């Protein structure tokens, strides 16, 4: 057939008609641009293209009883191309959705210090979206109170709670696990782990039991966020025997649980975390995800798990295009964090959320992490509107160059006290001692006899409080706000620039998630048409949020 074009040249068909043997009634077709756009947006309905009066037209309906229709009838036309219905809830892994009791293959990732707030978890959970409460950095009593609030609102889930690796404060990690087991938390998101610990193994194995048919029941699910293959392998493998033996000896698990642990992986889901906010290795999304997927397949072949591991994608996802790319590359689910931090439910101050709504992709940088300061671990933060990164890097430079606070040159110390701490470092040490006396006395005891560790704890006073200042909107400390974000937030802001979501006060987490998923479904339909030789006009290649799903 010859090339056909609709009135606005929005769609062209450049190949011979495929012999679908499908037909549509001419009376159901529309060929105006408005109808075409509307039909593409109706992702829950199949889309059929036909040629009407020498123009490309669209309908959602096929002819019924086609065998009774005369082919030469002018009222009946052959289908030239089609796109199947793709609902937002059909994207991703059905197994992920079933395992976590959710409607969508979406995970709101944990953001520490309660930024992934109780309100955020509840809002997403009620809409059938999984979200992790940001327990990292919070004391056990606050974590427990928050979990109880979530459980009241979501008695049957879905929700998860973050368990962050705390190499310098293992008491926090073990304390969190004790609360999770006590409260019956059935899903944790394990993040920032450099290796497995006794505590994450305890949580996983303590939830194992045997069904009457001999199969293994896994009560305590683990979603492990990783960006390194060596860490991924540990979570994809069964629990190490050394930890099982230690836990069994301590009476924390049973002999049966220790035996069952050797037949299941340490995690149910692995999130390939690319260039994200917070703790990140800045891995490229396009290389990390296929690498972790291949590794999963290799370990599945090695261990032959009854329920294969699922691999999701996080870090760098902030637009429908990136969401669709993740699903098309094989991701079972997608994870968003930075984007959610700008939403109204997030536990961030209004100043911070307003700032986040204007971030561009280049407005982020790396800075020392408070929880792994001595190890030189860095995390990704906002550099626009804040001097935190510069000041935090200065503190790490001093820590690297001097053996103690007393060894820092007087001029350098004066600058730090005046510009960063705004008080004498001896006063900061007094505050720090009181803090760790309550939180981790063992940590304090070690620091009293180690000048280098003492210096680290003093510097961590600033690193730790800076994120809290951002969350509560501490007046006068705006330039010290530590705000975690990755470049995906800049991409999101660019995408919604001409929509109502440009206003940070209009950003509801559920609405944002549904737009991202619906946009991915929309773009997948566009791709289906392209694969059939259909040329789609540029004006139809993008999905724009036109109205709220919540209205």
């Amino acid at each position: 057939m010859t090339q056909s074009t609709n009135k606005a040249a929005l769609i062209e068909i450049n190949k011979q008609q495929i012999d679908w043997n499908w037909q549509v009634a001419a009376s159901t077709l529309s060929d105006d641009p408005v109808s075409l756009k509307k039909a593409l947006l109706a992702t829950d309905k199949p889309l059929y293209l036909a040629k009407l009066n020498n123009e490309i037209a669209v309908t959602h309906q096929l002819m019924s009883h086609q065998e009774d229709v005369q082919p030469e009838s002018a009222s009946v036309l052959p289908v030239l191309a089609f796109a199947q219905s793709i609902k937002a809830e059909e994207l991703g892994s059905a197994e992920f959705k079933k395992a976590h009791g959710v409607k969508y293959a979406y995970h709101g990732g944990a953001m520490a210090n309660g930024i992934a707030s109780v309100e955020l978890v509840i809002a997403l959970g009620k809409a059938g979206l999984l979200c992790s409460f940001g327990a990292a950095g919070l004391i056990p009593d606050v974590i427990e109170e928050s979990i109880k609030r979530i459980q009241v609102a979501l008695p049957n889930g879905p929700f998860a709670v973050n368990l962050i690796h705390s190499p310098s404060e293992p008491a926090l990690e073990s304390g969190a696990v004790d609360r999770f087991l006590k409260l019956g938390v059935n899903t944790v998101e394990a993040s920032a782990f450099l290796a497995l610990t006794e505590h994450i193994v305890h949580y996983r194995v303590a939830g194992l039991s045997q069904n009457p048919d001999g199969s293994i029941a896994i009560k305590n699910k683990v979603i492990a966020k990783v960006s390194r293959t060596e860490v991924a392998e540990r979570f994809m493998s069964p629990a190490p025997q050394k930890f099982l033996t230690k836990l069994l000896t301590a009476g924390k698990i049973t002999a049966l649980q220790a035996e069952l642990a050797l037949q299941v992986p340490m995690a149910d889901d692995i999130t390939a975390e690319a260039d994200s906010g917070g703790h990140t290795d800045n891995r490229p999304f396009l290389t990390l995800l296929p690498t972790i997927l291949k590794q999963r397949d290799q370990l599945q072949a090695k261990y032959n798990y009854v329920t294969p591991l699922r691999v999701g994608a996080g870090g760098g996802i902030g637009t429908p295009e990136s969401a669709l790319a993740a699903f098309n590359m094989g991701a079972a689910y997608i994870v968003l964090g930075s984007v959610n931090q700008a939403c109204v439910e997030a536990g961030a101050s209004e100043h911070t959320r307003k700032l986040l709504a204007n971030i561009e992709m280049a407005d982020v940088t790396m800075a020392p992490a408070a929880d792994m300061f001595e190890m030189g671990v860095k995390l990704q933060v906002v550099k626009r509107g804040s001097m935190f990164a510069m000041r935090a890097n200065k503190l790490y430079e001093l820590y690297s160059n001097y053996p103690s606070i007393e060894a820092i040159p007087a001029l350098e110390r004066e600058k730090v006290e005046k510009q960063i701490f705004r008080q004498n470092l001896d006063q900061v040490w007094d505050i720090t001692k009181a803090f760790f006396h309550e939180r981790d006395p063992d940590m304090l005891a070690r620091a009293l006899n180690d000048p280098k560790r003492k210096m680290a704890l003093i510097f961590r006073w600033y690193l730790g409080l800076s994120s809290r200042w951002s969350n509560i909107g501490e007046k006068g400390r705006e330039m010290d706000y530590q705000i975690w974000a990755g470049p995906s937030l800049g991409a999101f802001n660019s995408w919604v620039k001409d929509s109502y979501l440009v206003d940070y006060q209009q950003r509801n987490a559920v609405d944002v998630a549904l737009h991202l998923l619906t946009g991915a479904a929309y773009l997948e339909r566009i791709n289906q048409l392209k694969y059939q030789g259909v040329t789609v006009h540029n004006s139809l290649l993008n999905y724009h949020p036109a109205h709220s799903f919540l209205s």
Side-chain angles (χ1 to χ4, degrees):
M1 57 177 255
T2 58
Q3 187 181 78
S4 300
T5 319
N6 74 357
K7 293 177 181 177
L10 295 180
I11 282 186
E12 298 176 356
I13 297 180
N14 306 310
K15 64 189 292 185
Q16 293 296 316
Q17 175 192 337
I18 298 175
D19 185 18
W20 311 110
N21 290 320
W22 290 348
Q23 296 173 316
V24 292
S27 59
T28 66
L29 291 165
S30 300
D31 63 355
D32 63 281
V34 173
S35 296
L36 179 57
K37 179 72 172 182
K38 185 177 179 181
L40 284 167
L41 285 169
T43 60
D44 60 335
K45 300 176 182 178
L47 183 72
Y48 305 99
L49 301 183
K51 190 174 180 182
L52 177 67
N53 299 326
N54 211 35
E55 304 292 344
I56 299 302
V58 62
T59 182
H60 293 302
Q61 303 174 24
L62 278 177
M63 286 286 296
S64 58
H65 307 295
Q66 295 179 20
E67 66 279 3
D68 298 329
V69 178
Q70 296 300 317
E72 63 272 12
S73 171
S75 63
V76 178
L77 299 170
V79 171
L80 303 178
F82 88 105
Q84 69 187 87
S85 64
I86 306 175
K87 299 177 183 178
E89 56 264 38
E90 293 173 341
L91 296 169
S93 164
E95 289 76 19
F96 174 86
K97 288 173 273 190
K98 181 179 179 181
H100 296 286
V102 294
K103 186 177 180 181
Y104 304 94
Y106 173 100
H107 181 198
M111 293 174 283
N113 291 337
I115 296 174
S117 65
V118 170
E119 292 74 18
L120 181 67
V121 173
I122 292 173
L124 288 170
K126 286 186 174 181
L129 298 143
L130 181 66
C131 184
S132 296
F133 172 66
L138 303 178
I139 62 175
D141 285 347
V142 173
I143 294 173
E144 179 167 340
E145 186 271 336
S146 300
I147 292 171
K148 288 179 177 177
R149 288 172 56 198
I150 294 170
Q151 289 175 325
V152 169
L154 300 171
N156 300 311
F159 72 90
V161 182
N162 182 218
L163 177 64
I164 194 165
H165 182 38
S166 303
S168 61
E169 297 181 79
L172 285 182
E173 195 175 318
S174 63
V177 167
D178 289 343
R179 300 296 173 109
F180 297 164
L181 295 175
K182 168 188 171 184
L183 298 171
V185 173
N186 292 331
T187 307
V188 301
E189 180 186 16
S191 61
F193 276 78
L194 304 175
L196 294 180
T197 66
E198 174 188 345
H199 315 301
I200 183 63
V201 174
H202 180 203
Y203 173 80
R204 177 65 164 177
V205 179
L208 298 179
S209 62
Q210 196 164 37
N211 294 316
D213 63 1
S215 61
I216 300 174
I218 302 175
K219 179 183 177 183
N220 296 341
K221 297 186 287 294
V222 173
I223 303 172
K225 190 186 296 181
V226 304
S227 56
R228 301 185 179 207
T229 54
E230 65 271 22
V231 179
E233 181 170 1
R234 294 183 177 106
F235 277 102
M236 292 179 181
S237 303
Q241 184 62 56
K242 64 177 182 179
F243 289 135
L244 296 176
T245 300
K246 186 174 182 180
L247 291 167
L248 186 59
T249 301
K252 293 183 177 181
I253 61 173
T254 67
L256 176 60
Q257 288 172 331
E259 179 184 341
L260 298 177
L262 299 176
Q263 303 175 54
V264 297
M266 269 297 301
D268 305 275
D269 300 280
I270 303 291
T271 299
E273 183 184 26
D275 194 10
S276 65
H279 294 91
T280 180
D281 286 312
N282 305 109
R283 295 289 187 258
F285 171 73
L286 293 175
T287 57
L288 178 64
L289 180 56
T291 301
I292 299 297
L293 283 167
K294 181 178 180 181
Q295 185 179 24
R296 183 273 314 271
D297 294 341
Q298 291 171 338
L299 288 169
Q300 174 63 30
K302 177 180 179 179
Y303 292 109
N304 193 30
Y305 297 125
V306 174
T307 302
L309 282 152
R310 298 173 292 266
V311 175
I317 299 176
T319 63
E321 288 84 355
S322 54
L324 179 59
F327 286 128
N328 282 346
M329 289 171 65
Y333 57 95
I334 59 173
V335 180
L336 275 84
S338 299
V339 169
N340 286 337
Q341 189 175 189
C343 292
V344 297
E345 300 92 347
S349 66
E350 184 165 353
H351 175 96
T352 294
R353 290 190 291 107
K354 184 177 181 180
L355 178 64
L356 288 168
N358 292 286
I359 292 301
E360 297 181 2
M361 285 188 291
D363 290 335
V364 294
T365 190
M366 300 300 291
D371 57 345
M372 301 183 188
F373 179 77
E374 298 94 322
M375 302 169 66
V377 173
K378 294 192 173 186
L379 38 67
Q380 193 154 219
V381 298
V382 172
K383 65 180 180 181
R384 181 176 180 176
S386 173
M387 296 184 69
F388 166 78
M390 183 180 71
R391 290 172 174 172
N393 281 314
K394 177 62 178 179
L395 293 181
Y396 188 74
E397 177 187 326
L398 294 174
Y399 175 78
S400 301
N401 293 338
Y402 300 101
S404 67
I405 289 291
E406 292 73 21
I408 299 174
L411 184 59
E412 287 278 20
R413 175 168 175 164
E414 183 180 348
K415 287 181 180 179
V416 166
E417 289 177 335
K418 182 179 180 180
Q419 298 175 1
I420 301 179
F421 291 91
R422 300 187 186 180
Q423 58 186 306
N424 186 282
L425 292 183
D426 293 333
Q427 294 175 309
V428 176
W429 176 234
D430 289 338
I431 298 170
T432 302
K433 284 192 295 184
F435 174 79
F436 279 101
H437 180 74
E438 289 283 332
R439 176 164 168 153
D440 191 345
D442 291 338
M443 172 73 76
L444 179 60
R446 294 193 298 271
L448 290 174
N449 298 310
D450 186 342
K452 190 78 168 179
R453 186 178 292 271
K454 172 184 173 181
M455 178 166 55
L457 293 187
I458 290 173
F459 288 172
R460 283 171 59 185
W461 175 92
Y462 172 76
L463 299 176
L465 279 179
S466 55
S467 60
R468 183 174 184 272
W469 292 332
S470 170
N471 293 349
I472 66 175
E474 182 77 15
K475 298 295 183 183
R477 279 290 191 174
E478 289 83 358
M479 295 305 292
D480 292 294
Y481 285 4
Q482 179 182 178
I483 307 170
W484 302 307
S488 62
L489 179 59
F492 177 86
N493 287 337
S494 177
W495 170 50
V496 302
K497 190 173 183 179
D498 298 322
S499 78
Y500 71 97
L501 288 176
V502 72
D503 179 1
Y504 71 99
Q505 295 179 322
Q506 297 295 315
R507 295 186 183 183
N508 294 279
V510 172
D511 190 37
V512 166
L514 294 180
H515 274 302
L516 285 166
L517 292 168
T518 301
Y522 174 88
L523 294 173
E524 178 61 18
R525 278 156 64 93
I526 295 291
N527 286 342
Q528 289 185 1
L529 294 176
K530 288 180 178 180
Y531 297 151
Q532 296 165 59
V534 177
T535 300
V536 181
H537 190 272
N538 287 344
S539 64
L540 298 177
L541 292 179
N542 300 304
Y543 173 90
H544 296 286
H547 58 81
S548 173
F549 281 98
L550 306 181
S551 59

